[in-house]
Amino acid sequence: MDSIRPVESLLSQIETVRARPAAGSDAGGGFGAAMAAALKDVSAAQAGAADMQKRFQMEDPKVGLEDTMLAMNKATLGFQSLLQTRNKLVQAYSEIMNMQV
């Protein structure tokens, strides 16, 4: 299904990072690269949805309401999943920083 590509991309990248054995910081990008790629995907989805919304408002006959709403919902879902991933990462970082050594 092409309709949830940004979310599937984010999940597959996270699974790839999780399956990879722990290595040094020079392990080909790692989680930071996966997050950057997911952020680019979400940004592209949001830009595409905004473009479709604008074209629909200008009554472009090639753009339907259903397609526009679907693109907007995909962009929102991708953003929300990326936001939740970021929140979990910040929460984990905070817990680690508050551990007693």
Side-chain angles (χ1 to χ4, degrees), residues 20-72:
R20 192 180 306 156
S25 61
D26 60 343
F31 187 76
M35 286 297 289
L39 185 59
K40 287 180 184 178
D41 287 345
V42 169
S43 179
Q46 287 177 332
D51 181 56
M52 286 187 77
Q53 184 179 16
K54 181 179 176 182
R55 288 173 46 202
F56 179 75
Q57 288 173 346
M58 298 184 97
E59 298 180 2
D60 184 348
K62 296 179 183 177
V63 179
L65 177 62
E66 297 85 9
D67 295 332
T68 303
M69 293 301 294
L70 184 62
M72 291 171 58

Side-chain angles (χ1 to χ4, degrees), residues 74-95:
K74 287 187 323 188
T76 300
L77 181 62
F79 178 75
Q80 290 296 324
S81 65
L82 190 62
L83 183 65
Q84 290 300 320
T85 303
R86 191 240 15 195
N87 289 344
K88 291 290 184 178
L89 182 62
V90 169
Q91 180 183 5
Y93 176 78
S94 296
E95 288 179 14

